Amino acid sequence: MDLGKPKKTLKGLIKRLFSKYFGFENGIDIANDVAVLYRRNVVIKNIVFVSNLLYSVVFFVLGFSVANPTTDWIFAIASLPITYAVGKLQSKLIDLDHNDLTKQQIAMYVSSFWIFISAMLVYVRIYAVGQNSLFETASYVLIYYALVEISLYQDKRLLANSFMSLFGFTTLIHLAVTYNFFALELTWQEFASELFTEGSQMSKEFGALILRTIIFCFFYAVNYIIVSIGQSIQEERKKELSKRREVQGDFTHIVRNLFNVVFQSAQSLLDPQHAKKVATVSSKLANYYNLDEESKLDLEKYSLIHLRFDEIKDLMMDTDTYDEHTYDLIKTKTDLGSKIGKRLQLAQKCNEMMRRHHEGDANQSFMDDMKKIQPEIISQIILLADCYISLRSISSYHRPYSHQQSLQFFNKELIGYFDYNLKETFLKYNEEMNELYNNL
């Protein structure tokens, strides 16, 4: 019984769900600013929804605890429809137009405003009512949590534009709630006198307020720096992606043109019947040569790979749209096309050798050049099989040869192209080759 499989399935499900609801780059083109902002709006809306549910739980616990007045249950009940209504409003703003940058920016600012205000409201609710000291510190941390949520937009302009508003709100909350200076009902002269009296409670509280304000500003500055770095990296990624796509587009056009030239001129080499005969003979010859099993499999695939030409025909069609899926598909087909091109080169090598030797135009320079083309043993086996099949078949420049005539031509004209052990193997098992050809 495989106990690990359900665990892996659950892990995969969690990963997929996280990617779907909280993955910032899930299925988007990072070079498209509107698509990126739309995705961030959606993800941050989901984060806000989860955060608001957490706030509702906090209100629920506070509202139904013994230490609080019975009327506090109203906060717990009212927070749920408010959370739902805010979520619906965010969704409507985000979905107004997925392709309109201005509308997505409006949704971003509204969402950011609600993120901060909701954290403030939770803090005011907990701190103002009192008797909830266990929650007071945690609720104050929510203000910084809200700043982190806003920074997820990775937009330094948003942070810069929002600073004074958020700083003002925070200062107001400090004055009105945290230290409740407004309840003192002092004139400015009395306030100043108390403030500058050494050791007074007022001076201590005001010092603490200044410290909180400095920490807020430092935290905001660090967030701004992090967002600036992230945005700069994102811009560099966009530039790199744009350049890569431009290069890939040019490369695709070049490859398409090359494939058009190569394959249109090689139609005569795409004869399935001839290719299958070559594959059969080369496979048999590989057995006699004692080629290892892995190389035999490679030989069998390579000998027939050019018959998969139809799989890359659409690569030669023009397209003006490029995305990651297109590039992956082009890469796969380009890899296949390069292998097909190599196989056609090997077939062309056989044709060129046959023609030049029949015309008596194969000098030493030609032979040296031919031997440099695909000298690997797998290619040599396929080439030898192709030469033998070509000699035994009808051609535009020679009549079909008998087996003995083929051997004579091989020994006289072609023997210098092949590895010593390979040609010895072919000559040793030439009768078997003849029998195999007669049965094809």
Side-chain angles (χ1 to χ4, degrees):
M1 183 177 180
D2 188 3
L3 296 176
K5 189 174 181 181
K7 186 176 180 181
K8 288 182 180 178
T9 304
L10 178 61
K11 184 178 178 181
L13 176 62
I14 294 173
K15 188 175 180 181
R16 288 193 299 273
L17 288 174
F18 182 85
S19 178
K20 179 179 178 181
Y21 292 104
F22 302 104
F24 278 95
E25 294 186 2
N26 182 41
I28 64 166
D29 178 6
I30 64 170
N32 186 333
D33 291 335
V34 182
V36 170
L37 182 54
Y38 170 74
R39 181 60 188 172
R40 284 177 178 167
N41 275 326
V42 170
V43 171
I44 291 173
K45 181 202 72 174
N46 295 335
I47 295 173
V48 170
F49 180 75
V50 173
S51 300
N52 287 343
L53 286 180
L54 175 63
Y55 300 161
S56 299
V57 171
V58 172
F59 286 147
F60 183 86
V61 172
L62 291 174
F64 290 91
S65 63
V66 177
N68 285 278
T70 54
T71 53
D72 278 5
W73 63 268
I74 295 175
F75 286 100
I77 301 300
S79 62
L80 292 174
I82 291 173
T83 296
Y84 176 78
V86 169
K88 292 293 289 183
L89 175 62
Q90 283 182 300
S91 296
K92 283 189 176 181
L93 287 172
I94 293 168
D95 293 331
L96 279 176
D97 191 340
H98 296 184
N99 301 311
D100 190 311
L101 182 60
T102 302
K103 288 184 172 120
Q104 292 304 316
Q105 286 175 335
I106 291 172
M108 175 181 70
Y109 276 94
V110 170
S111 180
S112 300
F113 179 76
W114 171 250
I115 288 169
F116 195 77
I117 291 299
S118 60
M120 286 289 191
L121 291 175
V122 173
Y123 175 67
V124 170
R125 160 70 186 86
I126 293 173
Y127 204 100
V129 173
Q131 300 179 355
N132 294 303
S133 56
L134 292 175
F135 289 91
E136 287 172 7
T137 302
S139 63
Y140 190 77
V141 171
L142 290 179
I143 296 174
Y144 295 95
Y145 169 72
L147 292 179
V148 173
E149 281 188 276
I150 295 171
S151 70
L152 291 175
Y153 275 109
Q154 293 291 295
D155 190 329
K156 61 182 182 182
R157 188 173 62 176
L158 169 66
L159 287 178
N161 292 342
S162 305
F163 174 72
M164 291 307 299
S165 299
L166 302 186
F167 178 79
F169 271 112
T170 306
T171 303
L172 181 63
I173 292 299
H174 284 158
L175 292 171
V177 178
T178 307
Y179 299 104
N180 200 14
F181 287 140
F182 295 150
L184 298 177
E185 298 182 353
L186 299 174
T187 65
W188 71 268
Q189 293 95 339
E190 292 171 334
F191 183 82
S193 176
E194 286 286 330
L195 183 62
F196 293 107
T197 300
E198 186 177 353
S200 69
Q201 184 65 25
M202 176 79 70
S203 63
K204 290 179 182 178
E205 289 184 348
F206 196 78
L209 184 149
I210 296 298
L211 180 61
R212 286 175 185 259
T213 303
I214 291 173
I215 292 174
F216 176 85
C217 291
F218 269 112
F219 189 84
Y220 207 102
V222 170
N223 256 0
Y224 184 83
I225 292 169
I226 293 172
V227 168
S228 297
I229 294 171
Q231 195 169 358
S232 297
I233 293 173
Q234 182 75 354
E235 289 299 321
E236 289 301 316
R237 286 181 65 195
K238 283 167 56 180
K239 290 178 184 176
E240 181 183 347
L241 180 61
S242 178
K243 289 178 182 177
R244 181 167 69 89
R245 287 183 173 177
E246 185 178 347
V247 171
Q248 285 178 322
D250 293 340
F251 172 76
T252 303
H253 285 296
I254 292 169
V255 170
R256 183 183 295 119
N257 292 335
L258 286 174
F259 279 4
N260 269 320
V261 172
V262 172
F263 295 141
Q264 285 177 7
S265 63
Q267 288 296 320
S268 60
L269 303 177
L270 298 172
D271 180 3
Q273 188 177 2
H274 179 85
K276 289 173 183 177
K277 288 181 179 180
V278 171
T280 302
V281 172
S282 60
S283 179
K284 197 70 171 179
L285 186 56
N287 283 328
Y288 292 139
Y289 185 77
N290 291 325
L291 201 64
D292 62 88
E293 292 301 321
E294 185 177 352
S295 296
K296 285 179 185 177
L297 291 174
D298 291 340
L299 181 144
E300 289 173 7
K301 292 177 183 177
Y302 187 49
S303 62
L304 293 173
I305 198 166
H306 55 312
L307 297 185
R308 296 172 61 187
F309 171 72
D310 287 342
E311 295 180 30
I312 61 168
K313 270 187 177 179
D314 56 349
L315 182 63
M316 294 182 285
M317 299 176 185
D318 288 327
T319 179
D320 295 325
T321 58
Y322 295 98
D323 53 31
E324 292 305 313
H325 174 70
T326 305
Y327 286 125
D328 290 339
L329 188 62
I330 288 174
K331 184 179 184 301
T332 301
K333 294 194 174 186
T334 302
D335 289 342
L336 176 59
S338 66
K339 293 175 183 176
I340 292 174
K342 279 191 69 177
R343 180 63 184 90
L344 289 174
Q345 181 193 43
L346 193 61
Q348 186 64 46
K349 178 180 177 179
C350 174
N351 276 5
E352 190 69 13
M353 286 164 51
M354 291 290 101
R355 185 181 63 80
R356 293 287 286 268
H357 279 278
H358 278 92
E359 293 175 354
D361 192 27
N363 55 28
Q364 189 60 45
S365 176
F366 170 80
M367 294 180 68
D368 290 340
D369 289 340
M370 288 293 105
K371 284 192 284 187
K372 292 176 184 177
I373 299 174
Q374 300 190 44
E376 302 82 12
I377 191 62
I378 289 177
S379 297
Q380 286 200 42
I381 292 172
I382 295 173
L383 178 63
L384 199 158
D386 201 351
C387 289
Y388 180 71
I389 297 296
S390 297
L391 288 170
R392 301 292 305 271
S393 306
I394 299 174
S395 173
S396 59
Y397 43 81
H398 70 80
R399 57 183 176 76
Y401 284 19
S402 66
H403 176 66
Q404 289 301 322
Q405 289 173 325
S406 298
L407 287 182
Q408 290 174 7
F409 188 87
F410 177 79
N411 283 316
K412 181 181 178 182
E413 302 288 346
L414 306 178
I415 200 166
Y417 291 101
F418 300 100
D419 173 79
Y420 176 81
N421 292 327
L422 177 59
K423 64 189 177 187
E424 288 298 316
T425 301
F426 174 70
L427 293 174
K428 179 180 179 181
Y429 294 97
N430 73 86
E431 291 299 331
E432 286 80 357
M433 293 291 104
N434 180 41
E435 183 179 354
L436 176 64
Y437 178 82
N438 290 331
N439 292 327
L440 290 177

